Structure formats: structure tokens, C-alpha cells
Amino acid sequence: MIEVDAEGVVAFTQALVRIPSTNDPMRGRDERPAAELVEAKMREWGWRPEVSEAAPGRPNVVAVVEGGGGDGPTLMFEGHTDVVTEGDLSTWTVDPFGGEIRDGRLWGRGSADMKSGLAATLYATRALQLAGSFPGRIKVCALADEEGLMLGAHHFVSQGLTADVDGAIVAEPEAGEICAVAKGALRLRVDLTGKMAHGAMPQHGRNPIPAAGALLAGLGTLQDELQARHPAHEHLGEVYVTPTVLRAGSEEQVNVIPAVASVFVDVRTIPGVEHKVVAGRVAALAAQEGISSEVSILVDRPPVDVPTSDPVVAALAAAHRSVTGEEPVYGGVPGSTDGTVLTHWGGIPSVVYGPGGKWIAHQADEFVEVAEIVRCTRVFAEAARRFLNGDY
């Protein structure tokens, strides 16, 4: 087994957690301090990271580690430096940015999602480098804005940095599951425009609110149809069509029929569901007599479906088996990750696997088991060795 720096990866995770790298300009927060810590660690090891801003104050950090063992494939390790807000501090029993270790757990915002995974990718790559030469290379990437619009991953792809990558391991928390499939996300805004009028004289206006009600009923029917046409996926479950935001009128003027009503819809898809078809169906439901409608696509992230036989998945599964002594468990990502962008827009087969519980992310008292950080670091190092040597 490749020897890893167990104390180092845990301490580096603590250092990352202690940086409140939320995207919160009002409080002067962004990913830059976390990215700078990653860059410094890379330079300490003699790597030559490239830093580029996906948006102001939101840098990507990318280092290419050559194996020195001749030509071979390129493996990408990916993690993100941003975290979601800590929220209401009264719901926490620990300091969200304290990085405290207690009861065998490392506590704090981002401990699972996903600073432990990011740390594991760095230390795994360093361990393989110190173990001797290997064919090909590893591209170690700490990207910005995964929790938002995935600007970092899109910027990475737009720079052409996926062109030479043969497979990517995304270190999101999955509780030891190997997730080669991920749900798609399609987020829509539907604007329904009628004509403003006095509430006492509705005959002079065109009220978009009943049209919004009809649309809501239609969305429920659409979900039923999609679920009937696309049975629940083994790892991802059902297709969901969920209205999440309604806007119309003003409580200060309840005697006014509004001109516009807006409905926001969050659609979660599984392989086989075409987003263009779903968006078209929603547009058809929104088209109602006397009301004009417009459907805007806010987010379009198709589902990921990488075969378990793909080299990057097979190498990870073999590494998991070798390091843990257990058969790998396959699962699915209930949301979307940077892997969605890397696969669909970058053309890279991606698989998601990392330390931390699948459901602990974004919650108060977030934590990761310390032993799991070290175990995943060992799995990552072995997965890289196997992938680059074709031993899977």
C-alpha cells in the first residue's frame, strides 16, 4: 500500500475548514484565502500551480504533476474551495470554522463538503509522487463556485484544460459509495404576463395568477407522466418536477390585479430524460389564452451516466477493494457536482467518491470521520496508481 501522510492530510483539512470560504461579498468572504492555502501547499512540494480567476476573487488553482515514468494517461483530481454559509449560529454546537477534532470527528463547515476530499486529493497525489515514478500525469484541481453556478468548472472547461484529461475523480462526500451516475438539474423561470387592472374591475385586466395556478396543476401532471415513462433509477430514484418560487402582486396593494406572475421550477432528472423536451412541455403548459408567457432556462445540467466499466471507475473500485478489503458499493449523486460540467461540457468520464456522509453536507454541526479522511487518501493514491498503470 502507498504510504500517505495521515497527520498531514488531517491537519491540512483543519486549516482549510478554519477559512470561512463562503461566497459572501457583504462580509468580505470568498474562496481566495482557501485557494491561496492550496497554492502554497502545492509550491511547498515543488509543484507549479497555475492560478486563474473564474470571477473576481474566485480563483481556480491547477497543478500538473508529471510522473516521470514515460507517456501515459492523464488523471484529474477535482475538489472545490467554496462552502455554503454556516447559517444560524444558534443551531451549531461547535464553532463552524473551528476545525475541532473531537470523538474521532473533524467538525466544521466544509469538513465533509468538501475540504477533506480536496485535502485527500492533494496528499494522495503527493504520496504517489514520493513512492516513485509513474506513467502519465495527475492534474490536481481546486476550483471555485461549485456551490453556486459552477463558474470554476465552466471556466476550467472554457480554457481547454479538459482536452488532455482521460478521467476525473471528484472528491465529494459519498460515504464510501462509488457514484458514476448523478441526477440532472433543470431550473426554469416562467413569466406569465397579463394586464394590470383594479380589483373592483377585473374585466378590464387579464389576471396572470389563475394562469399560474393552471401551470402548477400541469406541472404535477407532467411529473406523473415523466415518472411513468422513466421508471425510478436504481441509484437516483424518480424524476421530480418541483415548483419552488411563486411571485405575483403585492400585499401592499391587494386591490390591484398584477400584470406579471412568475413561477420558478426545479426539475431533477435521471438518464434518459431529455431536458429540451421537458422545457418544451413546460412552455406548452404555460401557453394560455389571453396571457403571454416566456420560459427561461436558468440552469441546465444533464444527468451523468458513466459506465462502471470505464477505466476511471474501474480503477477506483479496484483501489477501494484493495485498501478497505471490502467490495465497492455503487450509488448515485442526488444533486449535481462539478463532475456534471466536466463530463457534459468537458467530455471527461467522471466518478464521485470522497470522505464524509452523503447527507451531512450543508447541515449544522457538519463533520467528517478522521479515519475516513485517511482512508480516502489511501484509496485515491491507489486509484491513481492503478489508472495510470492500466491496472484495473
Side-chain angles (χ1 to χ4, degrees):
M1 186 180 298
I2 299 168
E3 188 64 34
V4 304
D5 182 358
E7 291 185 2
V9 69
V10 173
F12 190 67
T13 302
Q14 285 182 288
L16 284 170
V17 170
R18 287 168 180 157
I19 297 173
S21 54
T22 60
N23 176 33
D24 192 351
M26 294 295 292
R27 290 196 283 177
R29 292 180 178 180
D30 54 35
E31 296 99 326
R32 185 181 297 280
E36 289 175 345
L37 183 62
V38 170
E39 180 189 1
K41 178 58 67 175
M42 290 175 168
R43 294 193 185 280
E44 176 187 321
W45 290 337
W47 301 356
R48 297 180 178 179
E50 295 288 336
V51 180
S52 61
E53 287 197 334
R58 315 195 71 184
N60 286 346
V61 184
V62 178
V64 178
V65 181
E66 295 286 348
D71 194 25
T74 299
L75 174 67
M76 176 180 176
F77 277 127
E78 194 273 344
H80 60 84
T81 49
D82 62 322
V83 297
V84 298
T85 178
E86 67 275 27
D88 183 358
L89 290 177
S90 69
T91 63
W92 288 76
T93 64
V94 296
D95 180 351
F97 298 109
E100 176 186 356
I101 293 178
R102 176 168 44 86
D103 301 326
R105 295 172 171 176
L106 196 162
W107 301 81
R109 173 59 78 227
S111 54
D113 186 16
M114 60 171 293
K115 289 178 172 176
S116 57
L118 175 59
T121 66
L122 269 71
Y123 276 78
T125 303
R126 180 59 171 167
L128 184 60
Q129 184 183 38
L130 293 176
S133 62
F134 55 86
R137 65 208 54 80
I138 302 174
K139 190 172 285 192
V140 187
C141 308
L143 305 185
D145 191 47
E146 192 274 346
E147 300 291 2
L149 296 175
M150 300 184 176
L151 296 176
H154 282 289
H155 181 69
F156 183 87
V157 171
S158 70
Q159 288 187 304
L161 296 179
T162 59
D164 62 344
V165 177
D166 298 288
I169 296 175
V170 178
E172 293 278 6
E174 296 298 343
E177 290 184 356
I178 294 174
C179 298
V181 294
K183 262 193 168 177
L186 176 65
R187 293 172 192 154
L188 306 172
R189 172 177 177 159
V190 184
D191 290 313
L192 303 162
T193 303
K195 181 181 178 183
M196 183 184 294
H198 196 294
M201 295 172 282
Q203 71 274 21
H204 296 305
R206 293 194 301 274
N207 193 341
I209 294 179
L215 172 60
L216 295 176
L219 293 176
T221 301
L222 175 59
Q223 176 176 283
D224 292 341
E225 292 176 0
L226 289 171
Q227 290 180 351
R229 189 176 303 121
H230 303 277
H233 188 278
E234 177 185 6
H235 301 305
L236 301 176
E238 301 276 11
V239 181
Y240 291 113
V241 180
T242 307
T244 54
V245 179
L246 302 176
R247 292 178 182 168
S250 166
E251 61 184 85
E252 288 78 24
Q253 291 188 310
V254 295
N255 60 333
V256 175
I257 293 172
V260 179
S262 299
V263 179
F264 292 73
V265 188
D266 186 5
V267 186
R268 300 297 174 139
T269 60
I270 60 178
V273 178
E274 295 186 27
H275 285 194
K276 286 185 179 180
V277 172
V278 175
R281 287 294 310 280
V282 173
L285 290 170
Q288 299 177 44
E289 185 177 354
I291 301 292
S292 63
S293 61
E294 181 180 2
V295 177
S296 304
I297 297 177
L298 307 177
V299 171
D300 185 3
R301 300 172 186 160
V304 173
D305 189 10
V306 176
T308 57
S309 59
D310 187 274
V312 72
V313 184
L316 181 59
H320 176 93
R321 188 181 296 110
S322 175
V323 171
T324 68
E326 301 172 353
E327 285 299 309
V329 175
Y330 294 93
V333 181
S336 53
T337 71
D338 282 339
T340 304
V341 177
L342 297 174
T343 295
H344 284 281
W345 286 275
I348 303 173
S350 67
V351 59
V352 183
Y353 176 100
K358 187 186 289 276
W359 310 114
I360 194 64
H362 301 189
Q363 295 186 35
D365 287 352
E366 182 181 345
F367 69 89
V368 62
E369 301 286 347
V370 171
E372 197 173 353
I373 302 173
V374 178
R375 182 169 62 249
C376 276
T377 306
R378 291 183 174 129
V379 171
F380 286 157
E382 179 67 8
R385 185 192 70 78
R386 288 176 176 269
F387 179 81
L388 297 170
N389 284 281
D391 179 18
Y392 41 80

